[in-house]
């Protein structure tokens, strides 16, 4: 196969970044702007050892799964990778990916037969509770070509815009709203840009490091409607901040009057003077209201501050945790380990039905949030450890305090249920070995990456566990991300 050759391909799958995948003479070819089900004429642009990249020349026969993207800038923005495919097909793709990984990598026989549920979103849009918009200026179209001319942050002052950087670049695509974010964002974008224009507040220039306004971050508590707006600027002395607050409050009030649940509870200012791609600086100050918003997952209350981690799709998250609870079959008497516990969400969710829950998490700040969350919910049967799960848990198993058992006058380190919710790279093998030695009756694996889930399952299935069932969840609609909750039962 050579560069510039033209081929006809049938697109059979989608990649993580939303490219279609087909095969030419047994070799995988990735083609942007195609959809599963398309037959397309493509030109080879790059050839690697075992795969290649093609550019779409012409669609010969469009896929029956194609739909019109919901967002006018879906293609330039690159944030959503599946907007051109129906949501029904998206769910099918996600399910198929999990099934294929479990079979191919995990060595699970007939993985379809163990599928419990595919849980799609009520709506695949407006699900994100947090948005981060860079601030820029609307540029003039110079007509010399190139994306920079379409919108140029470095041009002389014109109107202020909020937007997103186009995939892998720092070219800002101005937005009136993002279809993935909560619909209140539209009001915030409009209030913010009006304020910045009226008072001519300067916009940060990435090249010179001059200017004030860098980012606007919004967080909405879906359950309570509480809203936080955090402005990131290069100085603490942003002019006319009180006017920004009243402009925001006015817009949100108008939104609320339209029958929507939203109230502006917090306006924060984060100061970032550094020439860096990092969005937040170290210092955050309160501008108006209180410095956190309140939300609930199930019955658990969370206080979310400008910097705290919180699941971005709380509606689907609650469904995932409910599945974990269902699979755990707790009766009030079990000892549970929640590994990779973050801000303690799963631990607290399970605590009501367990005798004791231990959490372990590598991030200090997340653990202090977890402890705080336990406190404000009056939950006292949880303990959190800071550190690597693969170091903390073996140490606890060897030397930990465990529970005092009065009948044998000894400390018991018996564990009934283990939950893991690792990052994309999956669990460290040392941790899997420790879990094997812990001998919990059941183990629940919450995964954001089916490939590493399958790899880890292979180890667990060879070491005493049986895969009982699993469910597939869509937490990031319109992207290829997929979550899985798997239940393993110990056999030996
Ligand atoms: N269960 C949590 C968060 C899971 S995300 C929730 O539902 O909110 C994965 C978490 O694992 C992150 O908080 C990350 O900081 C943590 N982490 C990453 N590597 C780790 C390790 N080796 N040991 C413990 N925690 C780790």
């Amino acid at each position: 196969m050579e560069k510039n050759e033209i081929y006809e391909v049938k697109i059979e799958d989608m990649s993580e970044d939303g490219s279609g995948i087909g095969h030419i003479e047994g070799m995988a070819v990735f083609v942007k702007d195609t959809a599963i089900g398309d037959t397309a004429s493509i030109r080879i642009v790059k050839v690697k050892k075992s795969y290649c990249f093609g550019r779409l020349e012409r669609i010969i026969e469009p896929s029956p799964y194609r739909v019109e993207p919901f967002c006018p800038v879906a293609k330039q923005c690159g944030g959503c990778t599946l907007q051109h495919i129906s949501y029904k097909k998206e769910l099918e793709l996600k399910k198929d990916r999990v099934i294929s990984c479990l079979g191919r990598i995990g060595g699970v026989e007939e993985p379809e037969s163990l599928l419990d549920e595919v849980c799609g979103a009520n709506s695949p849009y407006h699900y994100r509770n947090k948005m981060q918009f860079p601030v820029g200026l609307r540029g003039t179209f110079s007509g010399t070509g190139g994306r920079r001319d379409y919108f140029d942050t470095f041009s002389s002052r014109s109107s202020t815009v909020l937007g997103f950087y186009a995939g892998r670049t720092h070219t800002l695509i101005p937005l009136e709203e993002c279809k993935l974010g909560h619909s209140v964002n539209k009001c915030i974008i409009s209030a913010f840009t009006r304020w910045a224009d009226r008072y001519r507040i300067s916009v940060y220039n990435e090249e010179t490091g001059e200017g004030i306004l860098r980012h606007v971050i919004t967080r909405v508590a879906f359950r309570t409607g509480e809203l936080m707006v955090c402005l990131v600027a290069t100085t603490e002395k942003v002019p006319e901040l009180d006017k920004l607050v009243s402009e925001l409050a006015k817009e949100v009030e108008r939104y609320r009057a339209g029958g929507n649940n939203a109230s502006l509870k917090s306006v924060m200012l984060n100061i970032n003077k550094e020439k860096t791609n990092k969005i937040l600086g170290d210092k955050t100050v309160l501008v108006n209201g209180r410095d956190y918003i309140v939300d609930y997952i199930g019955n658990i209350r969370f206080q979310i501050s400008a910097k705290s981690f919180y699941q971005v799709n709380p509606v689907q998250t609650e469904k995932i945790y409910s599945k974990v609870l269902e699979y755990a079959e707790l009766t009030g008497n079990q000892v549970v380990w929640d590994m990779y516990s973050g801000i303690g969400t799963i631990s607290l969710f399970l605590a009501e039905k367990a005798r004791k829950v231990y959490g372990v998490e590598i991030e200090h700040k997340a653990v202090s949030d977890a402890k705080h969350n336990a406190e404000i919910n009056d939950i006292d049967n949880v303990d959190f450890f800071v550190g690597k799960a693969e170091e903390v848990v073996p140490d606890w198993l060897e030397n930990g305090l465990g529970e005092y058992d009065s009948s044998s006058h000894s400390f018991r380190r018996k564990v009934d249920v283990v939950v893991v919710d690792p990052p994309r790279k999956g669990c460290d093998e040392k941790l899997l070995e420790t879990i094997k030695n812990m001998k919990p009756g059941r183990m629940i694996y919450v995964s954001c990456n089916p490939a590493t889930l399958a790899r880890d399952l292979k180890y667990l299935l060879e070491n005493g566990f049986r895969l009982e069932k699993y469910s597939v969840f869509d937490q990031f609609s319109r992207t290829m991300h997929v979550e899985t909750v798997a239940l393993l039962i110990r056999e030996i």
Side-chain angles (χ1 to χ4, degrees):
M1 184 178 307
E2 298 282 332
K3 207 173 148 176
N4 278 324
E5 281 176 355
I6 305 265
Y7 288 91
E8 182 179 319
V9 262
K10 177 95 185 158
I11 303 298
E12 300 148 346
D13 202 352
M14 302 299 295
S15 73
E16 288 282 312
D17 72 350
S19 295
I21 308 174
H23 286 88
I24 301 168
E25 295 155 13
M27 192 190 230
V29 54
F30 294 82
V31 191
K32 269 217 165 310
D33 303 323
T34 57
I36 183 167
D38 281 342
T39 303
S41 164
I42 65 123
R43 179 186 295 272
I44 302 295
V45 287
K46 201 188 242 175
V47 183
K48 298 271 193 185
K49 223 191 224 147
S50 58
Y51 59 95
C52 60
F53 295 95
R55 195 174 56 220
L56 175 66
E57 290 280 303
R58 188 170 59 87
I59 301 275
I60 297 170
E61 198 179 329
S63 160
Y65 311 115
R66 269 189 180 272
V67 292
E68 204 45 49
F70 191 48
C71 172
V73 293
K75 207 168 145 194
Q76 295 101 305
C77 163
C80 296
T81 46
L82 296 179
Q83 274 206 27
H84 59 307
I85 292 170
S86 74
Y87 185 55
K88 187 161 169 264
K89 187 65 189 173
E90 174 181 334
L91 285 181
E92 216 174 284
L93 276 170
K94 290 179 176 181
K95 177 196 74 179
D96 290 347
R97 166 147 304 180
V98 174
I99 289 176
S100 139
C101 285
L102 292 182
R104 209 166 25 88
I105 308 169
V108 176
E109 276 171 40
E110 294 185 27
E112 303 85 348
S113 64
L114 302 177
L115 177 63
D116 170 16
E117 189 189 352
V118 176
C119 183
N122 303 341
S123 156
Y125 291 104
H126 297 302
Y127 61 81
R128 285 186 67 98
N129 59 11
K130 179 182 178 186
M131 301 302 287
Q132 313 191 110
F133 303 106
V135 187
L137 289 171
R138 193 177 298 277
T140 46
F141 187 85
S142 71
T144 53
R147 271 173 156 176
R148 252 243 191 124
D149 305 312
Y150 164 60
F151 183 79
D152 191 349
T153 31
F154 309 104
S155 69
S156 63
R157 171 86 209 201
S158 57
S159 60
T160 312
V161 292
L162 293 179
F164 281 135
Y165 292 125
R168 299 200 196 94
T169 73
H170 264 208
T171 305
L172 201 65
I173 308 290
L175 293 172
E176 275 171 30
E177 68 164 334
C178 165
K179 303 288 185 194
L180 296 194
H182 191 287
S183 54
V184 74
N185 281 291
K186 196 170 178 175
C187 308
I188 296 167
I189 292 176
S190 123
F192 176 84
T193 51
R194 209 167 43 234
W195 163 79
D197 283 343
R198 179 170 311 155
Y199 299 102
R200 301 189 72 76
I201 318 290
S202 64
V203 171
Y204 179 69
N205 179 323
E206 285 186 315
E207 281 189 349
T208 63
E210 285 165 3
I212 294 178
L213 307 173
R214 293 181 76 133
H215 273 86
V216 174
I217 301 170
T218 66
R219 302 189 88 157
V220 192
F222 274 48
R223 191 82 81 74
T224 60
E226 294 193 4
L227 173 65
M228 171 185 282
V229 177
C230 177
L231 168 64
V232 185
T234 49
T235 170
E236 226 169 300
K237 298 195 181 70
V238 179
E240 313 286 356
L241 269 183
D242 53 329
K243 305 284 197 318
L244 172 63
V245 173
S246 53
E247 199 69 51
L248 287 168
K250 212 162 54 193
E251 270 297 331
V252 174
E253 208 36 58
R254 196 172 304 150
Y255 175 80
R256 188 187 163 86
N260 300 297
N261 178 23
S263 59
L264 185 64
K265 288 284 184 213
S266 170
V267 180
M268 308 294 296
L269 173 65
N270 174 274
I271 296 102
N272 186 357
K273 297 179 197 291
E274 306 297 318
K275 259 191 158 184
T276 163
N277 280 341
K278 241 179 82 186
I279 295 177
L280 287 173
D282 292 336
K283 189 170 178 188
T284 312
V285 294
L286 176 68
V287 177
N288 193 265
R290 48 169 151 76
D291 63 0
Y292 62 89
I293 53 172
V294 172
D295 200 14
Y296 289 84
I297 296 183
N299 296 324
I300 312 293
R301 177 188 163 96
F302 291 91
Q303 285 183 4
I304 307 153
S305 61
K307 283 198 162 176
S308 49
F309 171 83
Y310 190 61
Q311 294 282 353
V312 297
N313 182 342
V315 176
Q316 288 302 96
T317 298
E318 185 164 331
K319 294 183 191 166
I320 292 177
Y321 295 168
S322 301
K323 187 56 85 177
V324 174
L325 190 61
E326 179 195 320
Y327 283 179
E329 290 192 4
L330 301 176
T331 57
N333 206 24
Q334 286 85 351
V335 174
V336 181
W337 262 92
D338 172 20
M339 301 173 184
Y340 307 88
S341 53
I343 57 164
T345 344
I346 295 180
S347 309
L348 300 178
F349 208 77
L350 300 184
E352 198 190 335
K353 300 262 169 58
R355 189 165 77 237
K356 175 86 195 179
V357 182
Y358 297 99
V360 57
E361 158 64 42
I362 199 166
E363 292 274 342
H364 229 281
K365 171 78 175 64
V367 171
S368 66
D369 280 359
K371 288 182 176 166
H372 180 68
N373 291 331
E375 229 174 85
I376 61 173
N377 286 285
D378 288 326
I379 295 174
D380 57 11
N381 59 337
V382 294
D383 263 348
F384 292 101
F385 297 85
V386 183
K388 291 185 179 168
E390 61 272 24
E391 290 171 5
V392 169
V393 184
D395 184 48
W396 180 86
L397 204 56
E398 288 262 304
N399 313 307
L401 210 44
E403 282 183 296
Y404 187 69
D405 176 20
S406 50
S407 61
S408 64
H409 300 290
S410 60
F411 287 95
R412 290 191 324 151
R413 288 184 287 270
K414 184 176 173 312
V415 176
D416 303 291
V417 179
V418 166
V419 180
V420 295
D421 182 8
R424 286 186 65 75
K425 69 173 193 232
C427 295
D428 191 286
E429 193 169 316
K430 175 89 173 94
L431 181 67
L432 298 176
E433 192 192 326
T434 308
I435 294 171
K436 175 183 100 180
N437 297 334
M438 280 172 128
K439 297 197 185 312
R442 38 186 72 214
M443 174 177 178
I444 298 149
Y445 196 129
V446 183
S447 159
C448 56
N449 181 351
T452 54
L453 164 70
R455 179 203 65 201
D456 293 348
L457 280 190
K458 188 169 168 60
Y459 178 96
L460 292 162
L461 300 182
E462 283 165 3
N463 285 280
F465 288 91
R466 162 171 61 84
L467 178 60
E468 174 78 7
K469 54 185 168 182
Y470 61 94
S471 292
V472 174
F473 291 84
D474 177 31
Q475 209 177 8
F476 298 99
S477 305
R478 315 280 64 191
T479 76
M480 274 302 282
H481 292 290
V482 54
E483 327 289 312
T484 314
V485 179
L487 169 63
L488 293 115
I489 304 281
R490 189 164 59 86
E491 292 213 297
I492 46 166

